[in-house]
Each structure stands twice: as C-alpha cells, then as structure tokens.
Amino acid sequence: MSKKSFRQAINEALAQEMERDPRVVIMGEDIAGGLGAPGEDDAWGGVLGVTKGLMGKFGRERVLDTPITESGFIGAAAGAALRGLRPVAELMFVDFMGVCFDQIFNQAAKFRYMFGGKATTPLVIRTMFGAGFRAASQHSQCLYPIFTHIPGLKVVIPSSPYEAKGLLIQAIRDDDPVVFFEHKVMYDVEEEVPDEPYAIPFGEARFVREGEDVTIVAFGRMVTMASQAAEALAKEGVSCSVIDPRTTSPLDLPSILESVRETGRLVLVDEASPRCNLATDISAQVAEQAFDALKAPIRMVSPPHTPVPFAPALEDEFVPNAEKIAAAVRATMRAPSKQAAE
Amino acid sequence: MAMSRALQLSREDLLRAYRQMRTIREFEERVHAEFATGEIPGFVHLYAGEEASAVGVCMHLTDKDAIASTHRGHGHCIAKGCDVQGMMAEIYGRKSGLCAGKGGSMHIADVSKGMLGANGIVGGGAPLACGAALAAKTLKTGGVAVAFGGDGASNQGTTAESMNLATVWKLPVIFVLEDNGYAESTASGWSVGGDAIKRAEGFGIPGVRVDGHDFFAVHDAAGEAIERTRSGGGPSFLHLKLNRYYGHFEGDGQAYRRDGEVARLRAEIDTLDRFRRRVTEAKLLGEDDLAGVDREVLALIDDSVRTAKSAAAPKSADLLTDVYLSY
Ligand SMILES: Cc1ncc(C[n+]2csc(CCOP(=O)(O)OP(=O)(O)O)c2C)c(N)n1
Ligand SMILES: [Mg+2]
C-alpha cells in the first residue's frame, strides 16, 4: 500500500496485467512517443503521461504507437481481440470517438450477439473525458451516455485512484468490450492504493457514504463533488448516502433502489449533457420501480444543454459542483413529503 | 536561384506578405510568452516557423474563397484576414473575442472572411473544405476552398475520403499538407507510409513538393495550383516541408527533438530572415521599409494583448446563448 495518483494507479494496472498476460498489448497515439524522431524514445508516454515507462518494460511490440488513424487502430484492436489478443487501446480524448465510432458500436459491441454467441471481444478502450481543463467544446465532453446506450459495451467510470486500478484490471480481464473513462482533471488526485493487483467487479456500486435523508448518485469526478456536498449538508443536519455506481453498464440498480427505499429522496449528479444522460436514465428506472418510496420529486444536477464553453468563467458555471448538489438536496428536503400533503 | 514569379510582386504586395508573416510570428512569440505567465487558459498550438505556408497560400485568396484550418490555426486566421485584436481576445476567453470567448485558440473562426475555423479534431477540416468548394461550385461564385492539414492529419481517413470526393465531384479545392516533421512527438518519417505526392496522384490529384520556408516558392506553387483549380482544372495538392518553432502545444517538453534543433532552424532557414534577404538583395524593399513594418506589427500585438487582458469576460447569461437559432 502506498499513496498513488490516479495516473500512477492506471499505469500500474496496465503494467501488472501486461506482466501477467502476454496477450495484453496497448496501443494509441504517442502512448510512448518519439517514434522516428531524433530525441528520446518514450518521449511522451501518452499525452498526459499515463503510459510513461511501459515501452521500456514491455518493448515496442506490446506498446504500439499509432499514426493518427482512430478508425484504423480502434478497429484493429477490435479485430485483434477477436483473434486472441487482449488489446487496451487509448482513444486520447473521448471527443475523438466521432472519428471511429463505427468500429466501436457497429463492430466490437455487436460481434458476440451477431455471431450467435460464438465470439468474444476482450477489448478495452481507455479514454479521457470531462470538463475543467479550459479545453473547449471538442476536448471536454463526457459522452459516456452514448456508449451506455449501446448493447454489448460495458462502460466504466472510476472515481478515485483505488477504483481506477481495480476497475481497469477487471476491464482487462473481462471478455467483453469495455470503454474505460478517465476524468482528465483527476490524474493528480492521490490516495492509498494497494501495490498488488486486485479487481473490482462490474455492476457493484460503492457506498461512499451512508445516510438517512437523501440518496445522492454520482459518477466519476462528481463523486468527489457529491461527497463534499454531503459533508457540508451533514453540518446542517441533513444526512446523505452517496452512491458511486462505478459502471454505467452494467448498472447496479438494485443498490440504488435499496437506498432510495430507505431515504425516499434521490438526487442524481451527472456531468454529461442533461438530455438522455445517466441521471435521466436512472430517474426513469427509479420512477418505474420505486415510485411509491419517493417522498419528493427526484432532482437531477447536470450541466446545461450546451457545448462546453471555453471561457473559464463560463466553464466553471457549466460544470456541476458541490454547491449545486447541496442546493438540489436542500430542495428535495423542502419538497412536501407525501405524508404531509395527505 | 530559379527566378520566382513572386519576386515580381508589387511593392505593396511584398510589404503585405511581410506584414502578415511578421504579424503571425509576433503574435505567436507573444502568446508563447504570455502563456508562460499562466494567464492564457487551455490548449494552445503555435504556428511560428510555418508562416510562409499560410501567407503564401492565402495571398491568392479573397473573402469569396474559404479555408479550413487546424488546431495550429492562428497563422491561417491572420493570413485569411481575421481581426488580430479579436483573435487575441478570443485566446484570452473574452466576450470581445472573435467567438465571444466560447471557442478559444482551437476554434477561432470568421466565416464571413471564409475562415471556417481552427479545428480541435485532426482531419476534421478537409471534408469541410470540400463542402465549401461544393457550395462555391454550385452557386457559381468562382470561389475555391483550401484544406490545410498536417502530416499527422494526412493519415486520417477523412483526408483520403476528401481527396477522392474532390476528384469525383471535380471540386475546386486545394489540399495543403503542412508537413512540419512531427505529429505531437511522432516523426512524420515514421507515421506517413509511402509518399504524400503519390497518395494525391493516386486520387488523380496533381501534387507539388515545396520548401515551406521559402515564401517565394510557396507563393509561386500555390498561385499555380489555385489558378489551375479555380479555372476548372479540379483539385490540387501541395506538400510543404516546414518546421514548427515551439512544442506541439504550449507546455510540451519536446524531449523527442534533437538538442538545439530549433535554434539551428531559426539560425539557418528562418522564413522571415530569408524573405528579408531576398527582397533587400534584390532591392525590392529597403531595411527601413521592413523595420517600419516590424514597428507597426509590434504596436498592434502589444495593443491586442493589452486590450485583451483588460476586456470583459463573458457573462453567465452567455453560457446559454448560441446553441440553436431557435428552440
Ligand atoms: C481525431 C483526433 N485525434 C487526435 C488528436 C490529438 N492531436 C491533436 S494535434 C495532433 C497532432 C497533429 O499532427 P499534424 O497533423 O502533423 O499537425 P501539427 O500538430 O504538426 O501541426 C494530435 C494527435 C486530435 N485532436 N484529434
Ligand atoms: Mg505535423
């Protein structure tokens, strides 16, 4: 056990899985870097240094830099997965998935079903997402709802370094295609992370905090924001549960329902655009299955329905934060409970 | 030295070429310095070193012609006539910026000037240029479109698809490959398979390879290509070999480069130095003409930075505007 950053946790998961299984290869643009250039090899180790050092350990045969051809190499990763490799492909920013989406959603996601259950596609696509970097409209999106929408894909959003390591190891060992979302603002976040390999199963939510009044469900970086909000609210005498589903597909709905049955109030926090996102999806499922348990309308905290703006003041306003979450919680506490209305 | 048509440019045109290249250089050197202070947010990719491409090409264009640019777009913007003050304000994320502070360095655009935007997506521009060319052809404006793209972008499917589309639709589009030797940290010698000119020729598009540090060579080649394309000859291709003076983006440690690589380029084949030498040796412009331009440009850039720094940020309400015309 030692303190590790989100970046180091991911790097360690990759290294340990590559060590364990020679079929694991990684590929992506500049994931080592310096190919054909006169200076240092492994000059980048990925655009934010996440894969740094892996080329030195495993060589260029297993750490494959690619030209800028996302359709080509993401599709090649899918094809290689069908034929015995276990590729971990890095799609630098999830925004670039527009270039290669066909290979993901029509190809990799559907092989197993279309081929009558006779194919496995052990592919992981690691990708960076989220706002907060002043990176503007084409480098700041979340987009995980789009992948969650596609049957056949598993979708993972780690919310801390510990989670990142265990979930990535699980993703690599999983036989289905997995899209693994890394929030770009979190790479330097540190916490205690075990040195040895461990896997966190998919579809099992984490109870970050247990409370009685309100259930807050949040994903990725928003888990931190939700915890901060819960901390502040505790001082006001409002006790919140915070649930991190960890994976949006599969989704641990039973855990969410169980908590909602206890608290009767639900606040959903999702950094993705507000239409057809995880908040609306879970809201619909809770309304369908636990309407009777609700004491107040479900609240959703998401950005407005706009592209991500560049100007810092606008971006700060765009992203959900602890204050906005706390305000939503207070609003559900104020809403007349059913008993009071009767 | 072969006789260049561009050496026969009028004094006004030569001054204009120098002014634009100087403006790009000064703009980028200044953004580099200001970025280091932490005041400029986001991702910034500088064009310094590549000035002859933007200017040598865009001097043949007017507002009825369009260009599609890249993430390294400041030079294209300036050469296509974007307002420098508005650009600087945009880079600072101000309301007075060309995109009202919503786009930033990677998305500067001025559609009224035929500048269809810098682009955050590598390879995103070539199809748009084909569309602009289709519009010009259909509406019979006489306009052409230029797709600027890097060596990295040349490997995207969109580039290949656009070249084929341009040929089969006979579009008035010129593909300009700005080969600065690297895509991020990866050398183009490794990443670009085969030969760029032959790739173009494979699609039936004639291509020319040009020294991208030589304004006169670029101006000549671009002039011929654009003339040919404008007069109905179909798409053209230029492969410009050039260099960037800064990292891939601001903050790039550039460990992949040879020590002293940029210093040597600046000392030996700098575009602006070469331009100055050519025009003064041929007595087309005097040192004092050039120095006058330098002073003018410096004042403009100084002023644009000062103004941008003190300009207002967008307001809360601006967050929700411009998504739709109506909803
Ligand atoms: C579709 C897509 N893939 C990857 C990137 C990340 N990226 C931005 S610039 C760049 C390198 C581009 O190289 P090149 O086309 O040669 O242009 P240069 O930076 O050299 O001007 C990369 C990989 C991106 N922005 N978009
Ligand atoms: Mg390049």
Side-chain angles (χ1 to χ4, degrees):
Chain A
M1 200 82 145
S2 58
K3 265 215 156 135
K4 288 171 193 135
S5 68
F6 196 75
R7 175 188 286 107
Q8 287 167 324
I10 292 166
N11 184 287
E12 193 168 279
L14 290 168
Q16 290 177 346
E17 286 304 288
M18 291 180 80
E19 194 72 58
R20 188 185 62 80
D21 186 343
R23 296 168 304 172
V24 178
V25 300
I26 65 173
M27 62 174 79
E29 291 157 16
D30 300 270
I31 60 164
L35 254 185
E40 282 173 31
D41 243 11
D42 203 19
W44 270 28
V47 70
L48 295 182
V50 178
T51 44
K52 185 97 182 156
L54 296 176
M55 198 273 283
K57 285 196 189 106
F58 300 102
R60 289 264 183 210
E61 299 253 296
R62 291 180 68 200
V63 178
L64 295 146
D65 275 7
T66 70
I68 308 174
T69 47
E70 289 87 5
S71 261
F73 80 80
I74 294 285
L82 272 180
R83 296 294 295 159
L85 289 182
R86 304 185 75 85
V88 182
E90 178 177 294
L91 178 58
M92 195 183 295
F93 289 80
V94 71
D95 313 71
F96 308 163
M97 74 101 170
V99 178
C100 56
F101 198 27
D102 176 70
Q103 294 294 327
I104 302 172
F105 90 98
N106 272 322
Q107 312 300 337
K110 295 188 169 58
F111 290 152
R112 182 156 189 84
Y113 191 83
M114 290 190 306
F115 301 164
K118 297 195 187 83
T120 52
T121 313
L123 162 68
V124 181
I125 299 171
R126 291 181 41 242
T127 190
M128 212 171 2
F129 79 104
F133 248 49
R134 319 312 189 195
S137 297
Q138 295 175 342
H139 286 72
S140 305
Q141 297 169 89
C142 286
L143 302 184
Y144 45 78
I146 295 179
F147 294 88
T148 307
H149 181 72
I150 308 295
L153 294 180
K154 292 178 176 166
V155 180
V156 184
I157 314 177
S159 58
S160 77
Y162 176 88
E163 295 289 309
K165 181 171 173 185
L167 288 167
L168 183 54
I169 288 178
Q170 177 62 33
I172 295 170
R173 295 179 186 175
D174 199 282
D175 280 333
D176 290 317
V178 177
V179 189
F180 188 88
F181 280 81
E182 302 167 14
H183 201 298
K184 61 176 79 69
V185 172
M186 289 179 57
Y187 283 118
D188 293 319
V189 171
E190 291 188 341
E191 72 179 350
E192 293 292 326
V193 176
D195 297 330
E196 61 280 0
Y198 59 97
I200 299 174
F202 290 170
E204 287 184 18
R206 172 167 72 112
F207 284 80
V208 182
R209 183 185 181 105
E210 307 250 18
E212 282 144 31
D213 299 322
V214 180
T215 302
I216 309 176
V217 177
F219 299 90
R221 181 175 177 228
M222 291 300 120
V223 173
T224 307
M225 307 283 183
S227 300
Q228 286 166 3
E231 198 67 40
L233 288 158
K235 296 191 187 112
E236 299 171 18
V238 179
S239 137
C240 298
S241 280
V242 176
I243 299 180
D244 166 16
R246 290 175 164 147
T247 56
T248 68
S249 182
L251 177 70
D252 184 0
L253 191 63
S255 290
I256 296 170
L257 291 172
E258 182 193 308
S259 176
V260 169
R261 288 199 178 283
E262 281 164 23
T263 61
R265 294 185 174 86
L266 178 60
V267 172
L268 296 156
V269 187
D270 189 347
E271 196 192 319
S273 295
R275 300 294 315 281
C276 302
N277 67 5
L278 266 300
T280 64
D281 176 61
I282 295 172
S283 169
Q285 299 194 62
V286 170
E288 190 180 43
Q289 299 191 36
F291 192 73
D292 56 305
L294 291 171
K295 297 179 191 157
I298 297 170
R299 294 274 170 170
M300 296 185 254
V301 184
S302 291
H305 194 47
T306 73
V308 184
F310 166 66
L314 295 188
E315 191 185 35
D316 290 343
E317 185 152 336
F318 174 91
V319 183
N321 57 29
E323 288 89 274
K324 289 179 197 167
I325 298 167
V329 169
R330 288 186 201 106
T332 94
M333 291 299 290
R334 273 197 307 273
S337 75
K338 245 186 316 194
Q339 287 85 338
E342 271 160 13
Chain B
M1 219 176 272
M3 188 56 191
S4 160
R5 281 207 297 172
L7 275 172
Q8 287 143 45
L9 283 173
S10 69
R11 188 183 146 76
E12 284 66 44
D13 280 344
L14 287 173
L15 279 170
R16 187 172 138 224
Y18 182 69
R19 183 177 299 109
Q20 290 199 342
M21 292 198 290
R22 188 85 242 166
T23 305
I24 296 171
R25 176 68 57 86
E26 202 62 49
F27 190 95
E28 299 297 60
E29 303 278 17
R30 190 60 186 269
V31 169
H32 174 75
E34 296 295 334
F35 188 92
T37 71
E39 256 190 275
I40 295 178
F43 293 139
V44 174
H45 308 79
L46 300 180
Y47 193 75
E50 307 188 14
E51 295 85 355
S53 169
V55 176
V57 171
C58 292
M59 273 186 79
H60 300 283
L61 306 178
T62 68
D63 286 357
K64 76 175 182 213
D65 302 312
I67 67 169
S69 171
T70 70
H71 55 286
R72 201 174 301 290
H74 303 169
H76 305 137
C77 289
I78 290 171
K80 197 65 176 67
C82 290
D83 175 53
V84 170
Q85 299 266 0
M87 287 176 60
M88 193 64 86
E90 187 58 35
I91 288 170
Y92 275 84
R94 305 306 189 201
K95 171 101 184 187
S96 55
L98 269 185
C99 307
K102 287 177 170 174
S105 164
M106 260 190 304
H107 305 294
I108 303 181
D110 186 345
V111 177
S112 70
K113 298 260 193 252
M115 165 57 196
L116 306 186
N119 208 311
I121 303 300
V122 171
L128 302 176
C130 286
L134 175 66
K137 185 178 168 179
T138 308
L139 301 173
K140 301 192 171 36
T141 65
V144 300
V146 174
F148 287 100
D151 45 286
S154 76
N155 295 322
Q156 282 288 38
T158 47
T159 304
E161 291 176 26
S162 297
M163 286 187 160
N164 189 56
L165 192 63
T167 295
V168 301
W169 276 356
K170 298 196 174 36
L171 296 176
V173 57
I174 300 96
F175 297 94
V176 177
L177 164 50
E178 298 183 316
D179 182 353
N180 59 11
Y182 299 99
E184 295 189 336
S185 73
T186 301
S188 57
W190 177 81
S191 72
V192 183
D195 179 274
I197 299 272
K198 287 190 186 147
R199 284 188 186 185
E201 285 171 359
F203 289 112
I205 303 177
V208 187
R209 183 164 293 130
V210 184
D211 174 358
H213 294 279
D214 181 347
F215 165 79
F216 297 98
V218 174
H219 188 278
D220 282 0
E224 269 171 45
I226 292 169
E227 222 166 84
R228 174 183 170 278
T229 293
R230 201 186 289 283
S231 59
S236 304
F237 176 73
L238 297 176
H239 182 186
L240 308 184
K241 301 283 279 180
L242 29 72
N243 288 279
R244 64 167 149 81
Y245 282 176
Y246 290 105
H248 170 65
F249 52 54
E250 287 309 276
D252 174 9
Q254 303 188 72
Y256 50 88
R257 285 187 121 155
R258 192 176 280 124
D259 279 344
E261 188 175 312
V262 174
R264 189 186 56 78
L265 293 167
R266 282 188 185 259
E268 291 173 12
I269 54 167
D270 181 72
T271 298
L272 288 162
D273 289 349
R274 283 170 70 174
F275 182 94
R276 292 177 76 113
R277 259 203 315 279
R278 292 281 288 275
V279 293
T280 49
E281 275 166 15
K283 303 209 177 347
L284 297 168
L285 297 175
E287 285 293 350
D288 49 339
D289 294 323
L290 298 167
V293 171
D294 291 351
R295 274 194 305 277
E296 236 176 78
V297 167
L298 190 62
L300 171 67
I301 301 298
D302 268 349
D303 189 47
S304 70
V305 171
R306 200 172 326 112
T307 315
K309 282 187 179 179
S310 60
K315 295 229 169 37
S316 272
D318 298 320
L319 178 58
L320 305 180
T321 59
D322 306 324
V323 186
Y324 302 99
L325 272 175
S326 63
Y327 192 65

